Amino acid sequence: MDREIAMALSLEPEPCAGSGALEVASRVSKLLNNELHADVTFRVGDASFAAHRCLVACTSEPMRAMLGEGFREGAGGEVEIRGVEADVFFEFLRFVYTGEARVTPENAVALLEAANLYDVPPLKRACGRVVVAGLTLDNCVELLETGRRYDE
């Protein structure tokens, strides 16, 4: 009997992936642009997006640094974003909160620029795939330059 107990105790724990992980992801996605417990607001042009520092910081090292104590943005609850359109920044935040973004041929290059700026390689790869899929003779030179600029 003791041997059976010892064997049972030495078993590896069952992984908890699956529906539990999906439930957590679903709950986190509900925080996207939700002011509940938000501790930072990103101002992008005329738009503003409520966010949670811990989620943004754990996805993007440049954002982590910007939201930290050493930067002006880290001290306040409002961060102005420049050089990124509001709809593109929202898709960046969607990726932060859900691991997904709506990457279209129309926004792929701009979202690639944001993903590069905030150092989010999985989003860069997703954008790169959409850019490549939209490659034509008319845009190949421009997209080649974009690819070289962002190493995609």
Side-chain angles (χ1 to χ4, degrees), residues 39-42 53 73-79:
D39 56 358
V40 66
T41 299
F42 291 102
R53 290 174 193 265
E73 293 88 346
E78 191 170 293
V79 176

Short mmCIF file of all heavy atoms in Angstrom, two decimals, residues 39-42 53 73-79:
data_model
loop_
_atom_site.label_atom_id
_atom_site.label_comp_id
_atom_site.label_asym_id
_atom_site.label_seq_id
_atom_site.Cartn_x
_atom_site.Cartn_y
_atom_site.Cartn_z
N ASP A 39 -5.25 51.66 -14.88
CA ASP A 39 -4.38 52.59 -14.18
C ASP A 39 -3.57 53.47 -15.12
O ASP A 39 -2.67 54.18 -14.70
CB ASP A 39 -3.47 51.84 -13.21
CG ASP A 39 -2.64 50.77 -13.88
OD1 ASP A 39 -2.79 50.56 -15.11
OD2 ASP A 39 -1.84 50.12 -13.19
N VAL A 40 -3.90 53.41 -16.41
CA VAL A 40 -3.26 54.28 -17.38
C VAL A 40 -4.24 54.52 -18.52
O VAL A 40 -5.06 53.66 -18.84
CB VAL A 40 -1.92 53.68 -17.90
CG1 VAL A 40 -2.15 52.41 -18.70
CG2 VAL A 40 -1.12 54.68 -18.71
N THR A 41 -4.15 55.72 -19.09
CA THR A 41 -4.94 56.05 -20.28
C THR A 41 -3.98 56.46 -21.37
O THR A 41 -3.10 57.30 -21.16
CB THR A 41 -5.91 57.22 -19.99
OG1 THR A 41 -6.80 56.82 -18.94
CG2 THR A 41 -6.71 57.58 -21.23
N PHE A 42 -4.13 55.83 -22.52
CA PHE A 42 -3.32 56.20 -23.68
C PHE A 42 -4.13 57.18 -24.52
O PHE A 42 -5.26 56.88 -24.91
CB PHE A 42 -2.96 54.96 -24.51
CG PHE A 42 -2.00 54.04 -23.82
CD1 PHE A 42 -2.42 52.87 -23.22
CD2 PHE A 42 -0.64 54.36 -23.77
CE1 PHE A 42 -1.54 52.03 -22.58
CE2 PHE A 42 0.26 53.52 -23.13
CZ PHE A 42 -0.19 52.36 -22.53
N ARG A 53 -1.42 48.80 -16.79
CA ARG A 53 0.04 48.81 -16.95
C ARG A 53 0.64 47.41 -16.97
O ARG A 53 1.52 47.12 -17.77
CB ARG A 53 0.69 49.60 -15.82
CG ARG A 53 0.46 51.06 -15.86
CD ARG A 53 1.03 51.72 -14.59
NE ARG A 53 0.57 53.07 -14.48
CZ ARG A 53 1.27 54.12 -14.92
NH1 ARG A 53 2.46 53.95 -15.43
NH2 ARG A 53 0.77 55.33 -14.80
N GLU A 73 6.16 59.42 -18.38
CA GLU A 73 4.89 58.74 -18.56
C GLU A 73 4.57 57.81 -17.38
O GLU A 73 3.41 57.59 -17.06
CB GLU A 73 4.90 57.91 -19.85
CG GLU A 73 4.95 58.74 -21.11
CD GLU A 73 6.37 59.07 -21.56
OE1 GLU A 73 7.32 58.89 -20.76
OE2 GLU A 73 6.54 59.54 -22.69
N GLY A 74 5.61 57.28 -16.77
CA GLY A 74 5.40 56.35 -15.66
C GLY A 74 4.84 57.01 -14.42
O GLY A 74 4.18 56.37 -13.61
N ALA A 75 5.08 58.29 -14.29
CA ALA A 75 4.64 58.99 -13.09
C ALA A 75 3.15 59.32 -13.11
O ALA A 75 2.51 59.39 -12.08
CB ALA A 75 5.45 60.28 -12.93
N GLY A 76 2.60 59.52 -14.29
CA GLY A 76 1.20 59.92 -14.39
C GLY A 76 0.31 58.79 -14.86
O GLY A 76 0.75 57.69 -15.12
N GLY A 77 -0.95 59.11 -14.97
CA GLY A 77 -1.91 58.11 -15.41
C GLY A 77 -2.28 58.27 -16.86
O GLY A 77 -3.18 57.58 -17.35
N GLU A 78 -1.58 59.18 -17.58
CA GLU A 78 -1.93 59.42 -18.97
C GLU A 78 -0.66 59.42 -19.82
O GLU A 78 0.34 60.03 -19.45
CB GLU A 78 -2.64 60.78 -19.08
CG GLU A 78 -3.28 61.02 -20.41
CD GLU A 78 -4.17 62.25 -20.37
OE1 GLU A 78 -5.19 62.22 -19.67
OE2 GLU A 78 -3.80 63.23 -21.03
N VAL A 79 -0.73 58.72 -20.94
CA VAL A 79 0.42 58.62 -21.84
C VAL A 79 -0.03 59.05 -23.23
O VAL A 79 -1.02 58.52 -23.75
CB VAL A 79 0.98 57.18 -21.90
CG1 VAL A 79 2.10 57.08 -22.90
CG2 VAL A 79 1.43 56.73 -20.52
#
